[in-house]
Amino acid sequence: MATFPRNEIMSLTASKPRHDLGESYGPDLRLADLLTPELADLELGYGTAAGGLQLRTAIADRHGVRPEDVVITVGGMHGIFLLAYLLADQGGQVVTTAPEFPMTRNAFETVGASVRVVPLSFDDGYRVTAGAVRAQLTPETRLVSLATPQNPSGVAVPRETLSEIADAMSEVCPEAYLMVDETYRTASYGDDPVAGTALGLGPKVVSVASLSKCHGAAGLRIGWVISTDAGLVERLTTAKFSTVVSASPVAEALAVRVFEQEPRILAERRTWLEQNLLITQDWVQANGDVVEWVRPSAGALCVVRLRPQVDLAEFRRTAGELGVRLADGDWFGDEPRVFRLGFGFLPQEELKAALDALREAVHAAH
């Protein structure tokens, strides 16, 4: 019987801890930031299967595509699940990485895909190489799934590498699609440039993202899939209608307001993320005898590893007693001594307090 694998990452939606370093996004927007008088006249009927034209246009304009290339989904995971279902169900071959966001892995397992894994490691800086991906491709490959920047590491896949992967796929498995999860793409630090979308690499490249991470609007549950393949867009639209009919017109209208304010929202968050990244970097350097990290390329998260002399069980026990919540590496298929640290969620003073408590936990187990 088909089922959805359970993962302890669900605990992030449960009670709030004293020091929350487990989240993977920045501060939340508030409804008051988006409300306008005309929203009071919004009719609470069904939306459209593809999504409202105004919202699809806003997304298309930011990706250099047409509105008809965009399908609005109920969060980014809805889009990933639909792609898995349409392209890789009942033994369809998927090439993906480990570690990766567990819900993505769960989607492939749930639809019965045959998964081939490209292993990434802390010691190699979570770098994806075209050669490693190519080694997993076969003529039966139907979907290659990558994220840039990655969750949990925040490490980006260079565009040249993505291009080499797309070229390899055109040779080995020309019917396969390259799904690129670009959820954290616009969450750059300070004045760092924002990486371009991978969509320009060819018609078999599909982009998935949402408003949840970079924009602080996870509660709207608005995501999207973008493809210049009209046949795939039609299949996605039908699949969306068959699962949820439409997204909420209220959420879509509020999402349009997010995009209207996007330059201000992202500018504020890039400053916030840069400052919190530097706080985290200083903390890692000050505690280098007990921890090490891989510096992220973008996003509100990074990966930290306990050094061998730290007792893992004692660390977890003490961290729990101090109210420190982290995202365990084994949630993502990583080694047990690794954990995802979300530095973008808390205000600076609260982040410093949380890191102080984390230092106490690590040194207590040293």
Side-chain angles (χ1 to χ4, degrees):
M1 178 182 295
T3 188
F4 289 91
R6 180 178 173 82
N7 188 285
E8 286 305 309
I9 200 169
M10 288 178 64
S11 64
L12 295 180
T13 63
S15 60
K16 288 293 183 183
R18 181 180 178 188
H19 301 294
D20 196 350
L21 294 173
E23 291 297 357
S24 57
Y25 52 87
D28 294 320
L29 289 176
R30 296 183 179 276
L31 185 58
D33 298 328
L34 305 177
L35 287 176
T36 58
E38 59 267 24
L39 287 174
D41 294 326
L42 184 66
E43 294 182 355
L44 299 181
Y46 286 109
T48 64
L53 178 60
Q54 192 175 4
L55 178 56
R56 288 188 290 118
T57 299
I59 295 167
D61 288 347
R62 286 155 176 80
H63 291 80
V65 298
R66 308 169 303 162
E68 49 264 45
D69 298 326
V70 180
V71 178
I72 304 301
T73 56
V74 184
M77 269 312 308
H78 183 214
I80 291 173
F81 178 80
L82 293 181
L83 285 166
Y85 182 81
L86 293 173
L87 301 176
D89 72 315
Q90 299 182 20
Q93 190 179 103
V94 175
V95 174
T96 190
T97 63
E100 72 175 340
F101 184 56
M103 300 303 98
T104 301
R105 182 176 66 244
N106 286 359
F108 302 143
E109 293 178 4
T110 298
V111 302
S114 172
V115 179
R116 297 171 65 91
V117 174
V118 178
L120 308 178
S121 73
F122 184 100
D123 291 325
D124 289 333
Y126 298 102
R127 289 188 297 272
V128 175
T129 68
V133 174
R134 187 184 187 110
Q136 296 299 330
L137 299 178
T138 77
E140 286 71 47
T141 302
R142 295 295 174 260
L143 180 67
V144 176
S145 170
L146 299 174
T148 180
Q150 303 160 1
N151 186 351
S153 70
V155 173
V157 183
R159 186 176 180 85
E160 313 86 77
T161 302
L162 291 173
S163 179
E164 292 172 6
I165 291 170
D167 289 344
M169 292 173 62
S170 68
E171 296 175 19
V172 180
C173 46
E175 298 304 311
Y177 290 87
L178 172 59
M179 180 186 77
V180 184
D181 184 342
E182 299 185 319
T183 297
Y184 291 100
R185 183 176 64 85
T186 57
S188 57
Y189 306 132
D191 295 328
D192 288 357
V194 175
T197 177
L199 284 165
L201 296 177
K204 290 293 186 178
V205 177
V206 181
S207 173
V208 178
S210 75
L211 291 179
S212 297
K213 307 298 186 180
C214 299
H215 300 79
L220 293 183
R221 307 310 306 132
I222 290 293
W224 55 86
V225 180
I226 307 174
S227 172
T228 57
D229 183 326
L232 180 60
V233 169
E234 182 178 0
R235 295 174 68 194
L236 283 164
T237 304
T238 301
K240 177 196 170 181
F241 181 83
S242 300
T243 52
V244 298
V245 180
S246 73
S248 161
V250 176
E252 288 191 355
L254 292 171
V256 170
R257 289 285 294 140
V258 172
F259 281 113
E260 289 172 353
Q261 300 181 50
E262 186 182 47
R264 175 189 62 79
I265 291 171
L266 292 184
E268 292 174 352
R269 286 163 187 274
R270 286 168 188 157
T271 299
W272 175 292
L273 290 176
E274 181 182 44
Q275 292 170 343
N276 283 16
L277 175 67
L278 292 175
I279 291 170
T280 305
Q281 177 175 282
D282 290 345
W283 182 86
V284 171
Q285 291 173 350
N287 295 278
D289 59 326
V290 287
V291 298
E292 54 187 331
W293 78 330
V294 175
R295 192 183 193 279
S297 308
L301 71 177
C302 65
V303 162
V304 175
R305 183 168 68 178
L306 302 175
R307 293 198 182 273
Q309 63 269 31
V310 178
D311 184 284
L312 179 58
E314 179 64 16
F315 164 73
R316 287 180 169 173
R317 185 189 67 79
T318 306
E321 289 178 353
L322 294 171
V324 179
R325 180 166 71 182
L326 300 160
D328 293 344
D330 51 16
W331 295 357
F332 305 89
D334 210 334
E335 57 182 295
R337 303 185 72 81
V338 165
F339 56 86
R340 186 186 74 185
L341 189 154
F343 59 80
F345 179 64
L346 297 175
Q348 289 184 39
E349 292 308 311
E350 293 183 30
L351 175 61
K352 291 176 182 177
L355 291 173
D356 285 344
L358 181 60
R359 181 186 64 237
E360 183 178 347
V362 177
H363 283 278
H366 180 209

